[in-house]
Amino acid sequence: MTTQPRPDMQRDAERTRAELLAVATEVFAESGYSGARVDEIAERTRTTKRMIYYYFGGKEQLYMAVLENAYRGIREAEQRLQVDHVDPVVAMRRLAELTFDHHLDHQAFIRLVSIENIHRGEYIGRLDSLRTLSRPATSVLDEILARGREKGVFRTDVEALDVHIVISSYCVFQVANRYTFGFLFDVDFTELGQRAHMRRMIGDVVVGWLTTR
Amino acid sequence: MTTQPRPDMQRDAERTRAELLAVATEVFAESGYSGARVDEIAERTRTTKRMIYYYFGGKEQLYMAVLENAYRGIREAEQRLQVDHVDPVVAMRRLAELTFDHHLDHQAFIRLVSIENIHRGEYIGRLDSLRTLSRPATSVLDEILARGREKGVFRTDVEALDVHIVISSYCVFQVANRYTFGFLFDVDFTELGQRAHMRRMIGDVVVGWLTTR
Amino acid sequence: MTTQPRPDMQRDAERTRAELLAVATEVFAESGYSGARVDEIAERTRTTKRMIYYYFGGKEQLYMAVLENAYRGIREAEQRLQVDHVDPVVAMRRLAELTFDHHLDHQAFIRLVSIENIHRGEYIGRLDSLRTLSRPATSVLDEILARGREKGVFRTDVEALDVHIVISSYCVFQVANRYTFGFLFDVDFTELGQRAHMRRMIGDVVVGWLTTR
Amino acid sequence: MTTQPRPDMQRDAERTRAELLAVATEVFAESGYSGARVDEIAERTRTTKRMIYYYFGGKEQLYMAVLENAYRGIREAEQRLQVDHVDPVVAMRRLAELTFDHHLDHQAFIRLVSIENIHRGEYIGRLDSLRTLSRPATSVLDEILARGREKGVFRTDVEALDVHIVISSYCVFQVANRYTFGFLFDVDFTELGQRAHMRRMIGDVVVGWLTTR
DNA sequence: TATGAATGAGGATTCATTCAT
DNA sequence: TATGAATGAATCCTCATTCAT
């Protein structure tokens, strides 16, 4: 009697793996690497803890799979950020604002990034797949910057990566440091007025900076 | 000969407590709250694990003491940031750069802040002492901004807190997101040239932004 | 060949749980709640300490499981106490004596009851299963009392619960207060002559009391 | 310079010791031997934990001092139980009722007795002072019984110790088993009506029993 | 006689992981 | 591919007791 791989079984396997990954993403983002509990991940799943070892090998590998998956997803989402406007100043402002929104939409990811930095990037550093993944996200910036320089509206001593750092730091901050900053300065970054204010501000900052001669 | 309150005994207790606090600060900053081990903290000390419970009551209270102490220390250090220059533009640039340096000098603190944000600020929120501690650090900004506005060189729709957010996010980022950002974009934030570049840049950003009419 | 739910595996779990419960009953009865050691319970078992947490959740829950199990067992044993004699006086005496024997046979249980009372019943009070368990043990008394009243041999101002209190207190006392009473009055409640004397006496007391006009 | 024993110091010492003993009695009665915390005893005192070791030697010796002190106090209180009535039936009923009240008045003591029995009397057994303390409390019973027998109203096959067991078990029970019994049978032994009922009942029981021919 | 600091041994609990089926 | 049972190695915490002054 021969055993044949049933196609639906294959699919079930994929589904189980995907479910574990999704739940693990939540739990790691929620509690950090050390704080996350393998038991909790399993419990929030329809499968058992044993499957984590079956599919991923252990907590560490699961965490790394979560990291990789999250970065891959973000990369794809970023590539969908399209800013098509002829005026580079308008385009730059839009990009800043879209990035702002984008971070708000992916808070779990930003928490994962914070967590990974707490671990000094030791896990992401072992993810060769991310290393070979095409360098992210600065091509749009490159292009806007180039057009702005051509038109003579942008300063010429700034590179795409510089702008990316400025925008990223600001956008990450609103999510990653929300709690302590909010507590100490009595601001609520989630309040809609404050959020709109901050969204406008990052455009002002970047455009103001870049258009300085 | 008069009997005086034995200062050495008093000091021994104080010393033990202080040593525990110092080591705990290191370990928590290193490994996070869940990742930190009470045993490790004790081992790095001249005393025993038991003393943690004697002086602080437990891991959680020790962590909160670390948080409080770190914030208090930072507050004091911040208050020493003096920027006295008549020209508000120069002053603003200096403040940005000093803040940049200041963050570099207190990386453990910034890691603690990241960690606390991963915990959604649940511990800092219970530190009433921090709540009542005078609102931090914007008075210098207030003053520079006011002078700049008077002189007509700064835009008038920006508040001190706004500037603080921009500067803070950038300065925190260089420390807190160093690992993942460095890995993905192949930059080394600790390399001296890069560091100088970024130091200059935060001045450019803030001044460029604020001097936009 | 049909696949059946593996009864042996199921049973192994049940066996482990049951063994833990049995040993825990001994140890708690021996040393009290605070005095009992989780380690000791585990050591007397073929399994490990870890299993206590796996099956019960903790020391407290294990203790409560022990309590519940003990009460349930006693209830069943009590229901087997049958006194069928036409003469209510004879029946009453027999019931008293059987209860006396019954207490002697379940000394661990009585120790557990003492222990739980030291804790002011805080654990038993949380055992809803015991609360909903049918009220125990007075139905036999009810019936004997009713027959005795009908025949005019028993006083009519006494309820089953009253008789139960008198019998219980006496029977519990011989077990629960054996050591201090024995020491102070130089009696040995375990000595067979003394035991027979006391067994006869509880019958005398109850019958004498109930047959008083 | 000579050090002289100050008389008030002597008295302070006595006071400290007495306070420790009083508080320890409370705490041991409250929590049992294993459950009681040396720290808690000290904290409830104006002195420090060190004094327990200074005055008593350790937890165990403190507990034994508590036991001894409690028994001595009870003995004295018992000796004040006077029942002077010519009619032995009335006297016996009174004695039962006074004993009932007496137990209600000394619940901490009864808890201590329960606790000591949980420990199988191992501590009281080492208190030689209690052993040599005159045999307690049956002299009054002896006398009432003798008068009752003389008058022909009491049965003759009952000794003082027997009566003492019956009364004691009942009176101890109302205090020592209050919680579990109350829970299971839904009775409240502290409710005044129930208490009065039970007080009358022990008189009925004893008198009914003793006056049976 | 008194005190605050200190401690080692033990005690309860948790965790990631593996085994048997 | 899946599962419930099992586990050893930590991990946090507590306790009675002693030390230095």
Side-chain angles (χ1 to χ4, degrees):
Chain A
M1 181 187 149
T2 55
T3 314
Q4 294 205 335
R6 288 175 300 153
D8 49 296
M9 206 149 141
Q10 200 72 14
R11 193 168 297 131
D12 275 4
E14 206 44 58
R15 199 176 291 158
T16 301
R17 217 192 103 97
E19 193 185 0
L20 277 170
L21 203 56
V23 170
T25 302
E26 278 177 30
V27 175
F28 279 121
E30 189 69 26
S31 314
Y33 176 69
S34 316
R37 298 292 164 242
V38 170
D39 276 280
E40 192 191 345
I41 294 171
E43 268 161 33
R44 292 209 207 168
T45 291
R46 278 166 315 176
T47 52
T48 69
K49 188 166 43 163
R50 188 65 188 74
M51 290 301 95
I52 289 172
Y53 294 87
Y54 188 80
Y55 282 113
F56 297 93
K59 185 186 185 180
E60 189 174 312
Q61 292 98 314
L62 176 58
Y63 171 72
M64 286 173 69
V66 162
L67 257 193
E68 183 182 6
N69 188 256
Y71 266 105
R72 197 175 298 277
I74 278 293
R75 194 66 47 85
E76 284 169 18
E78 274 171 357
Q79 272 155 7
R80 268 180 257 118
L81 288 189
Q82 290 303 334
V83 186
D84 24 48
H85 195 281
V86 280
D87 182 9
V89 171
V90 174
M92 185 59 81
R93 178 178 291 276
R94 287 221 181 135
L95 182 63
E97 291 176 350
L98 285 180
T99 305
F100 186 89
D101 298 339
H102 184 251
H103 278 70
L104 277 176
D105 291 343
H106 297 90
Q107 301 189 25
F109 172 70
I110 290 171
R111 290 177 64 85
L112 283 174
V113 171
S114 281
I115 288 162
E116 178 58 11
N117 276 289
I118 290 300
H119 293 281
R120 303 189 186 275
E122 67 167 289
Y123 301 104
I124 201 181
R126 274 143 58 195
L127 284 173
D128 297 327
S129 60
L130 285 191
R131 198 185 300 272
T132 57
L133 197 61
S134 66
R135 284 277 95 89
T138 58
S139 55
V140 183
L141 266 174
D142 273 324
E143 194 222 337
I144 302 175
L145 266 185
R147 281 195 286 125
R149 287 196 209 104
E150 271 171 38
K151 281 189 65 176
V153 293
F154 283 167
R155 55 195 295 172
T156 54
D157 62 346
V158 171
E159 288 176 35
L161 191 61
D162 296 332
V163 185
H164 189 58
I165 290 175
V166 171
I167 296 178
S168 287
S169 61
Y170 186 89
C171 294
V172 164
F173 191 81
Q174 66 158 334
V175 174
N177 285 61
R178 159 182 307 182
Y179 299 99
T180 56
F181 197 91
F183 171 77
L184 288 170
F185 290 91
D186 211 23
V187 216
D188 181 1
F189 284 3
T190 67
E191 188 264 317
L192 292 186
Q194 175 70 19
R195 183 172 289 178
H197 173 68
M198 288 180 70
R199 188 179 192 268
R200 203 177 319 116
M201 199 160 70
I202 184 59
D204 291 351
V205 167
V206 172
V207 165
W209 168 42
L210 290 177
T211 57
T212 309
R213 281 111 309 153
Chain B
M1 185 186 151
T2 54
T3 312
Q4 294 202 331
R6 287 152 305 173
D8 44 290
M9 193 153 138
Q10 206 69 14
R11 193 170 298 132
D12 269 7
E14 208 43 61
R15 197 177 291 160
T16 302
R17 216 193 104 99
E19 193 185 0
L20 278 169
L21 203 56
V23 171
T25 302
E26 279 176 29
V27 176
F28 279 122
E30 189 71 26
S31 314
Y33 177 70
S34 317
R37 298 290 164 243
V38 168
D39 278 277
E40 193 192 342
I41 294 171
E43 269 162 32
R44 292 208 206 165
T45 289
R46 278 167 317 171
T47 52
T48 67
K49 183 170 43 164
R50 186 60 190 77
M51 287 297 96
I52 289 172
Y53 296 88
Y54 186 73
Y55 281 109
F56 298 94
K59 184 184 184 181
E60 188 174 313
Q61 292 100 309
L62 177 58
Y63 172 72
M64 286 174 68
V66 163
L67 258 192
E68 184 182 4
N69 189 255
Y71 266 103
R72 197 175 296 278
I74 279 293
R75 193 67 45 88
E76 283 169 20
E78 274 171 358
Q79 274 156 4
R80 270 181 256 116
L81 289 188
Q82 288 304 335
V83 187
D84 24 49
H85 195 281
V86 279
D87 183 13
V89 172
V90 175
M92 186 59 83
R93 177 176 293 275
R94 287 219 181 135
L95 182 63
E97 290 175 351
L98 286 180
T99 306
F100 186 89
D101 298 339
H102 184 251
H103 279 69
L104 278 176
D105 291 343
H106 297 91
Q107 302 190 26
F109 172 70
I110 290 171
R111 291 178 63 85
L112 282 175
V113 171
S114 281
I115 288 162
E116 178 58 10
N117 275 290
I118 290 300
H119 292 281
R120 302 190 186 276
E122 69 168 288
Y123 301 103
I124 202 181
R126 275 144 56 193
L127 284 173
D128 296 327
S129 59
L130 287 191
R131 198 185 300 272
T132 57
L133 198 61
S134 65
R135 283 277 97 90
T138 58
S139 54
V140 183
L141 268 173
D142 272 322
E143 194 220 339
I144 302 175
L145 267 184
R147 281 197 284 124
R149 285 197 210 105
E150 270 172 38
K151 282 189 64 175
V153 293
F154 283 167
R155 54 193 297 170
T156 54
D157 61 347
V158 170
E159 288 176 33
L161 191 61
D162 296 332
V163 185
H164 189 58
I165 290 174
V166 170
I167 296 178
S168 287
S169 61
Y170 185 90
C171 296
V172 164
F173 190 81
Q174 65 158 336
V175 174
N177 285 59
R178 159 182 307 182
Y179 300 98
T180 56
F181 197 91
F183 171 77
L184 288 170
F185 291 90
D186 210 23
V187 218
D188 181 1
F189 284 1
T190 66
E191 189 264 318
L192 292 185
Q194 175 69 19
R195 183 171 291 179
H197 173 66
M198 288 180 71
R199 187 178 193 270
R200 203 178 320 115
M201 198 160 69
I202 184 59
D204 291 352
V205 167
V206 172
V207 166
W209 166 44
L210 290 177
T211 57
T212 310
R213 285 109 308 152
Chain C
M1 185 188 151
T2 54
T3 313
Q4 294 201 334
R6 287 152 308 174
D8 43 290
M9 193 153 139
Q10 207 70 14
R11 195 170 299 132
D12 268 9
E14 207 43 61
R15 198 177 292 160
T16 302
R17 217 193 103 98
E19 193 185 359
L20 278 170
L21 204 56
V23 171
T25 302
E26 279 176 30
V27 175
F28 280 121
E30 189 70 25
S31 314
Y33 177 70
S34 316
R37 297 291 164 241
V38 168
D39 277 278
E40 193 193 343
I41 294 172
E43 268 162 32
R44 292 207 205 166
T45 289
R46 278 168 317 172
T47 53
T48 69
K49 183 170 45 162
R50 186 60 189 75
M51 287 296 95
I52 289 172
Y53 295 88
Y54 186 73
Y55 282 109
F56 297 93
K59 184 183 183 181
E60 188 174 314
Q61 292 99 311
L62 176 58
Y63 172 71
M64 286 174 69
V66 162
L67 257 193
E68 185 183 3
N69 189 254
Y71 267 104
R72 198 175 295 279
I74 280 292
R75 194 66 46 88
E76 284 169 20
E78 273 172 358
Q79 273 156 5
R80 267 181 258 117
L81 288 190
Q82 288 304 333
V83 186
D84 24 48
H85 194 283
V86 280
D87 182 11
V89 172
V90 174
M92 186 60 82
R93 178 177 292 276
R94 286 218 181 138
L95 182 63
E97 291 175 351
L98 284 180
T99 305
F100 186 90
D101 298 339
H102 185 250
H103 279 68
L104 277 177
D105 291 341
H106 298 91
Q107 302 190 26
F109 172 72
I110 289 170
R111 290 178 63 86
L112 282 174
V113 171
S114 280
I115 289 163
E116 178 58 11
N117 275 290
I118 290 300
H119 293 281
R120 302 189 186 276
E122 68 167 289
Y123 301 104
I124 201 181
R126 276 144 56 195
L127 285 173
D128 296 327
S129 60
L130 287 190
R131 198 185 300 271
T132 57
L133 198 62
S134 65
R135 285 276 99 87
T138 57
S139 55
V140 183
L141 267 173
D142 272 322
E143 194 222 338
I144 302 174
L145 267 184
R147 280 196 285 124
R149 286 196 209 105
E150 270 173 37
K151 281 189 67 175
V153 293
F154 283 167
R155 54 195 296 171
T156 55
D157 62 346
V158 170
E159 288 175 35
L161 190 62
D162 296 331
V163 185
H164 189 58
I165 290 174
V166 170
I167 296 178
S168 287
S169 60
Y170 185 89
C171 295
V172 163
F173 190 81
Q174 65 158 334
V175 174
N177 286 58
R178 158 183 308 182
Y179 299 98
T180 55
F181 197 91
F183 171 77
L184 289 170
F185 291 90
D186 209 24
V187 216
D188 181 359
F189 284 2
T190 66
E191 189 265 317
L192 292 185
Q194 175 69 19
R195 183 172 290 178
H197 173 67
M198 288 179 71
R199 187 178 192 271
R200 201 177 321 113
M201 198 161 69
I202 183 60
D204 290 352
V205 167
V206 173
V207 166
W209 166 44
L210 291 177
T211 56
T212 309
R213 291 106 306 154
Chain D
M1 179 188 151
T2 54
T3 314
Q4 294 207 334
R6 288 176 300 153
D8 49 298
M9 205 150 143
Q10 200 72 13
R11 192 170 297 132
D12 275 4
E14 206 44 58
R15 200 176 289 158
T16 301
R17 216 193 104 98
E19 193 185 0
L20 276 169
L21 203 56
V23 170
T25 302
E26 278 176 32
V27 175
F28 279 121
E30 189 70 26
S31 313
Y33 177 69
S34 317
R37 297 292 163 244
V38 170
D39 275 281
E40 194 192 344
I41 294 171
E43 269 161 32
R44 292 208 207 167
T45 291
R46 279 166 315 175
T47 53
T48 69
K49 189 165 42 162
R50 188 63 188 78
M51 289 301 96
I52 289 171
Y53 294 87
Y54 188 81
Y55 283 111
F56 298 93
K59 184 184 185 181
E60 189 173 312
Q61 293 96 315
L62 176 58
Y63 172 71
M64 285 174 68
V66 163
L67 258 192
E68 183 183 5
N69 188 255
Y71 268 104
R72 197 176 298 278
I74 278 293
R75 194 66 45 87
E76 283 170 18
E78 274 171 356
Q79 274 154 6
R80 268 179 258 118
L81 288 189
Q82 290 303 335
V83 187
D84 26 48
H85 195 282
V86 279
D87 182 10
V89 172
V90 174
M92 185 60 83
R93 177 177 293 275
R94 287 221 180 133
L95 182 63
E97 291 176 351
L98 285 180
T99 305
F100 186 90
D101 298 338
H102 184 252
H103 279 69
L104 277 177
D105 292 342
H106 297 91
Q107 302 190 25
F109 172 71
I110 290 171
R111 290 178 62 86
L112 282 174
V113 171
S114 281
I115 289 162
E116 177 59 11
N117 276 289
I118 290 299
H119 293 281
R120 302 189 186 275
E122 69 168 287
Y123 301 103
I124 202 182
R126 275 144 58 196
L127 285 173
D128 297 327
S129 60
L130 287 191
R131 200 184 300 271
T132 57
L133 196 61
S134 66
R135 284 277 99 89
T138 57
S139 55
V140 183
L141 266 174
D142 273 324
E143 194 222 336
I144 302 175
L145 267 185
R147 280 196 283 123
R149 285 196 210 105
E150 272 172 34
K151 280 190 66 177
V153 292
F154 283 168
R155 54 194 297 171
T156 54
D157 60 348
V158 171
E159 288 176 33
L161 190 61
D162 295 332
V163 185
H164 188 57
I165 290 175
V166 170
I167 295 178
S168 286
S169 60
Y170 185 90
C171 295
V172 164
F173 190 81
Q174 65 158 337
V175 173
N177 286 58
R178 161 183 305 183
Y179 299 99
T180 56
F181 197 91
F183 171 77
L184 289 170
F185 291 90
D186 210 23
V187 216
D188 181 0
F189 284 3
T190 66
E191 189 265 319
L192 292 185
Q194 175 70 21
R195 183 171 290 178
H197 173 68
M198 289 178 71
R199 188 178 192 270
R200 201 176 321 115
M201 200 161 68
I202 185 58
D204 290 352
V205 167
V206 172
V207 166
W209 167 44
L210 292 177
T211 56
T212 310
R213 286 110 308 151

